[in-house]
Coordinates of all heavy atoms in Angstrom, one line a residue:
S1 N 69.3 21.1 34.3 CA 68.1 20.2 34.3 C 68.6 18.9 33.5 O 69.5 18.9 32.7 CB 67.0 20.8 33.6 OG 67.2 20.9 32.2
I2 N 67.9 17.7 33.9 CA 68.2 16.6 33.4 C 66.9 15.9 32.8 O 65.8 16.3 33.4 CB 68.9 15.5 34.3 CG1 68.0 15.2 35.5 CG2 70.3 16.0 34.7 CD1 68.6 14.1 36.3
Q3 N 66.9 15.1 31.8 CA 65.8 14.3 31.4 C 66.2 12.8 31.2 O 67.3 12.5 30.8 CB 65.3 14.8 30.1 CG 64.6 16.1 30.1 CD 63.9 16.5 28.8 OE1 64.3 16.0 27.7 NE2 62.9 17.4 28.8
I4 N 65.2 12.0 31.6 CA 65.3 10.5 31.5 C 64.1 10.0 30.8 O 63.0 10.3 31.1 CB 65.5 9.9 32.9 CG1 66.7 10.5 33.6 CG2 65.5 8.4 32.7 CD1 66.7 10.1 35.0
Q5 N 64.3 9.2 29.7 CA 63.2 8.6 29.0 C 63.4 7.1 28.9 O 64.4 6.7 28.7 CB 63.1 9.2 27.6 CG 61.8 8.9 26.9 CD 61.9 7.6 26.0 OE1 63.0 7.1 25.8 NE2 60.7 7.1 25.8
R6 N 62.3 6.4 29.2 CA 62.4 4.9 29.1 C 61.1 4.5 28.5 O 60.0 5.0 28.7 CB 62.6 4.3 30.5 CG 63.9 4.7 31.1 CD 65.0 3.9 30.4 NE 66.4 4.1 31.1 CZ 67.2 5.0 30.7 NH1 66.9 5.8 29.8 NH2 68.3 5.1 31.3
G7 N 61.2 3.3 27.8 CA 60.0 2.8 27.3 C 60.1 2.4 25.8 O 61.1 2.7 25.2
K8 N 59.0 1.8 25.3 CA 59.0 1.3 23.9 C 58.2 2.3 23.1 O 57.2 3.0 23.5 CB 58.3 -0.1 23.9 CG 58.2 -0.7 22.6 CD 57.5 -2.0 22.7 CE 57.3 -2.6 21.3 NZ 56.4 -3.8 21.4
D9 N 58.6 2.5 21.8 CA 58.0 3.4 20.9 C 56.6 2.8 20.5 O 56.6 1.7 19.8 CB 58.9 3.6 19.6 CG 58.4 4.5 18.6 OD1 57.2 4.9 18.7 OD2 59.1 4.8 17.7
G10 N 55.6 3.4 20.8 CA 54.2 2.9 20.5 C 53.9 3.0 19.0 O 53.1 2.2 18.6
S11 N 54.5 4.0 18.3 CA 54.2 3.9 16.8 C 54.7 2.8 16.1 O 54.3 2.3 15.0 CB 54.8 5.2 16.2 OG 54.2 6.4 16.8
A12 N 55.8 2.1 16.7 CA 56.4 0.9 16.1 C 55.4 -0.2 16.0 O 55.4 -1.1 15.2 CB 57.7 0.5 16.8
D13 N 54.4 -0.3 17.1 CA 53.4 -1.3 17.1 C 52.4 -1.1 16.0 O 51.8 -2.1 15.5 CB 52.8 -1.4 18.5 CG 53.7 -1.9 19.6 OD1 54.7 -2.5 19.2 OD2 53.4 -1.7 20.7
T14 N 52.0 0.2 15.8 CA 50.9 0.4 14.8 C 51.5 0.4 13.4 O 50.7 0.2 12.4 CB 50.3 1.8 15.1 OG1 51.3 2.8 15.0 CG2 49.7 1.8 16.5
G15 N 52.8 0.6 13.2 CA 53.3 0.8 11.8 C 53.2 2.1 11.2 O 53.4 2.2 10.0
D16 N 52.8 3.1 12.1 CA 52.6 4.4 11.6 C 53.9 5.0 11.1 O 55.0 4.9 11.8 CB 52.0 5.4 12.7 CG 50.6 5.0 12.9 OD1 50.0 4.2 12.1 OD2 50.1 5.5 13.9
A17 N 53.9 5.8 10.1 CA 55.2 6.6 9.5 C 55.3 7.8 10.5 O 56.4 8.3 10.7 CB 54.9 7.0 8.2
Q18 N 54.2 8.4 11.1 CA 54.3 9.6 11.8 C 54.0 9.2 13.3 O 53.0 8.5 13.6 CB 53.2 10.6 11.4 CG 53.2 11.9 12.2 CD 52.2 12.9 11.7 OE1 51.7 12.7 10.6 NE2 52.0 13.9 12.5
A19 N 54.9 9.5 14.1 CA 54.7 9.1 15.6 C 53.5 9.9 16.2 O 53.3 11.0 15.8 CB 56.0 9.5 16.3
Y20 N 52.9 9.3 17.1 CA 51.7 9.9 17.8 C 52.0 10.4 19.1 O 51.2 10.9 19.9 CB 50.5 9.0 17.7 CG 50.7 7.7 18.3 CD1 50.6 7.5 19.7 CD2 50.8 6.6 17.6 CE1 50.7 6.3 20.2 CE2 51.0 5.3 18.0 CZ 50.9 5.1 19.4 OH 51.0 3.9 19.9
S21 N 53.2 10.1 19.6 CA 53.7 10.6 20.9 C 54.9 11.4 20.8 O 55.9 11.1 20.1 CB 53.9 9.5 21.9 OG 54.4 9.9 23.1
N22 N 55.0 12.6 21.5 CA 56.2 13.4 21.5 C 57.4 12.8 22.2 O 58.5 13.4 22.1 CB 55.9 14.7 22.0 CG 55.0 15.5 21.0 OD1 55.0 15.2 19.8 ND2 54.4 16.6 21.5
I23 N 57.2 11.8 23.1 CA 58.2 11.3 23.9 C 58.7 9.9 23.3 O 59.4 9.3 23.9 CB 57.9 11.2 25.4 CG1 56.8 10.1 25.7 CG2 57.6 12.5 25.9 CD1 56.6 9.9 27.2
D24 N 58.3 9.5 22.1 CA 58.8 8.3 21.5 C 60.2 8.5 21.0 O 60.3 9.3 20.0 CB 57.9 7.9 20.3 CG 56.8 7.0 20.8 OD1 56.7 6.6 21.9 OD2 55.7 6.9 20.1
E25 N 61.1 7.9 21.6 CA 62.5 8.1 21.2 C 63.3 6.9 21.8 O 62.8 6.3 22.8 CB 63.0 9.4 21.7 CG 64.4 9.8 21.3 CD 64.9 11.1 21.6 OE1 64.2 11.9 22.0 OE2 66.2 11.3 21.6
A26 N 64.5 6.7 21.4 CA 65.3 5.7 22.0 C 65.6 6.1 23.5 O 65.5 7.3 23.8 CB 66.7 5.6 21.3
N27 N 65.7 5.1 24.4 CA 65.9 5.5 25.8 C 67.1 6.3 26.0 O 68.2 6.1 25.2 CB 66.1 4.1 26.7 CG 64.9 3.3 26.8 OD1 63.8 3.8 26.4 ND2 65.1 2.0 27.0
F28 N 67.1 7.3 26.8 CA 68.2 8.2 27.1 C 68.1 8.8 28.5 O 67.1 8.7 29.2 CB 68.2 9.5 26.2 CG 67.0 10.3 26.2 CD1 67.0 11.3 27.2 CD2 66.0 10.2 25.4 CE1 66.0 12.1 27.3 CE2 64.9 11.1 25.5 CZ 64.9 12.1 26.5
A29 N 69.3 9.2 29.0 CA 69.3 9.9 30.2 C 70.5 11.0 29.9 O 71.7 10.6 29.6 CB 69.8 9.1 31.4
R30 N 70.1 12.3 30.0 CA 71.1 13.3 29.5 C 70.9 14.6 30.3 O 69.8 14.9 30.9 CB 70.9 13.6 28.2 CG 69.6 14.1 27.7 CD 69.5 14.5 26.2 NE 68.1 14.7 25.9 CZ 67.5 14.4 24.8 NH1 68.1 13.5 24.0 NH2 66.3 14.7 24.6
I31 N 71.8 15.4 30.4 CA 71.7 16.8 30.8 C 71.0 17.5 29.8 O 71.4 17.5 28.5 CB 73.1 17.4 31.0 CG1 73.8 16.7 32.2 CG2 72.9 18.9 31.4 CD1 75.3 17.2 32.4
Y32 N 69.8 18.1 30.1 CA 69.0 18.8 29.1 C 69.3 20.2 28.9 O 69.4 20.6 27.8 CB 67.5 18.6 29.5 CG 66.5 19.1 28.4 CD1 66.5 18.5 27.2 CD2 65.7 20.2 28.7 CE1 65.6 18.9 26.2 CE2 64.8 20.7 27.7 CZ 64.8 20.0 26.5 OH 63.9 20.5 25.5
E33 N 69.6 20.9 30.0 CA 70.0 22.3 30.0 C 71.0 22.5 31.0 O 71.0 21.8 32.1 CB 68.8 23.2 30.1 CG 67.8 23.3 29.1 CD 66.8 24.3 29.4 OE1 65.8 24.1 30.1 OE2 67.0 25.5 28.7
L34 N 72.0 23.3 30.8 CA 73.0 23.7 31.7 C 73.6 25.1 31.3 O 74.2 25.1 30.3 CB 74.1 22.7 31.8 CG 75.3 23.0 32.8 CD1 74.8 23.1 34.2 CD2 76.3 21.9 32.7
Y35 N 73.2 26.1 32.0 CA 73.6 27.5 31.6 C 73.9 28.4 32.7 O 73.4 28.2 33.8 CB 72.8 28.0 30.5 CG 71.3 28.3 31.0 CD1 71.1 29.5 31.7 CD2 70.3 27.5 30.7 CE1 69.8 29.8 32.1 CE2 69.0 27.7 31.1 CZ 68.8 28.9 31.9 OH 67.6 29.1 32.3
Y36 N 74.7 29.4 32.4 CA 74.9 30.6 33.3 C 74.3 31.7 32.5 O 74.3 31.9 31.3 CB 76.3 30.8 33.5 CG 76.6 32.3 34.0 CD1 76.5 32.6 35.4 CD2 77.1 33.3 33.1 CE1 76.7 33.8 35.8 CE2 77.3 34.5 33.7 CZ 77.1 34.8 35.0 OH 77.3 36.1 35.5
A37 N 73.5 32.6 33.3 CA 72.9 33.7 32.7 C 73.2 34.9 33.6 O 73.2 34.9 34.8 CB 71.3 33.5 32.7
F38 N 73.4 36.0 32.9 CA 73.5 37.4 33.5 C 72.4 38.3 32.9 O 72.3 38.5 31.8 CB 75.0 38.0 33.3 CG 75.2 39.3 33.9 CD1 75.4 39.3 35.2 CD2 75.2 40.5 33.1 CE1 75.6 40.8 35.8 CE2 75.4 41.7 33.6 CZ 75.6 41.8 35.0
S39 N 71.8 39.0 33.9 CA 70.7 39.9 33.4 C 70.8 41.2 34.0 O 71.3 41.4 35.1 CB 69.3 39.3 33.8 OG 69.3 39.2 35.1
T40 N 70.4 42.2 33.2 CA 70.4 43.6 33.6 C 68.9 44.2 33.2 O 68.2 43.4 32.6 CB 71.4 44.5 32.9 OG1 71.2 44.4 31.4 CG2 72.8 43.9 33.3
D41 N 68.7 45.4 33.5 CA 67.5 46.0 33.1 C 67.4 46.1 31.6 O 66.1 46.1 31.0 CB 67.3 47.4 33.7 CG 67.2 47.4 35.2 OD1 66.8 46.4 35.7 OD2 67.5 48.4 35.8
S42 N 68.4 46.1 30.8 CA 68.4 46.3 29.4 C 68.4 44.9 28.6 O 68.3 45.0 27.4 CB 69.5 47.2 28.9 OG 70.7 46.6 29.4
G43 N 68.6 43.8 29.4 CA 68.7 42.6 28.6 C 69.4 41.5 29.4 O 69.6 41.7 30.7
F44 N 69.7 40.4 28.7 CA 70.3 39.3 29.4 C 71.3 38.6 28.5 O 71.1 38.7 27.2 CB 69.3 38.3 30.0 CG 68.6 37.5 29.1 CD1 69.0 36.4 28.6 CD2 67.4 38.1 28.6 CE1 68.2 35.6 27.6 CE2 66.6 37.4 27.6 CZ 67.0 36.2 27.1
I45 N 72.2 37.7 29.0 CA 73.0 36.9 28.1 C 73.1 35.5 28.8 O 73.2 35.5 30.1 CB 74.4 37.5 28.0 CG1 75.2 36.6 27.0 CG2 75.1 37.6 29.3 CD1 76.6 37.2 26.5

C-alpha cells in the first residue's frame, strides 16, 4: 500500500500547540505497508 499526503497544516494558522487533524504533516508520498504473510490454522507470520 502507498499513501500520499498534500496540503497545509491547519493548526499552523490557529497557533494551536495540539494539532486538530490527524493528517497534518509535511507533504509525503511513501510505501505505507509492504509485507509477505504465511498463515496456517494455528497462526500466521
Side-chain angles (χ1 to χ4, degrees):
S1 70
I2 62 172
Q3 286 189 339
I4 301 168
Q5 191 271 339
R6 296 287 183 264
K8 186 179 170 192
D9 182 350
S11 297
D13 290 344
T14 61
D16 290 346
Q18 180 177 350
Y20 56 81
S21 175
N22 288 343
I23 66 171
D24 277 342
E25 186 176 341
N27 292 343
F28 65 82
R30 64 178 171 223
I31 295 175
Y32 187 64
E33 291 185 278
L34 178 62
Y35 63 82
Y36 163 79
F38 177 77
S39 60
T40 64
D41 293 336
S42 59
F44 67 92
I45 185 168

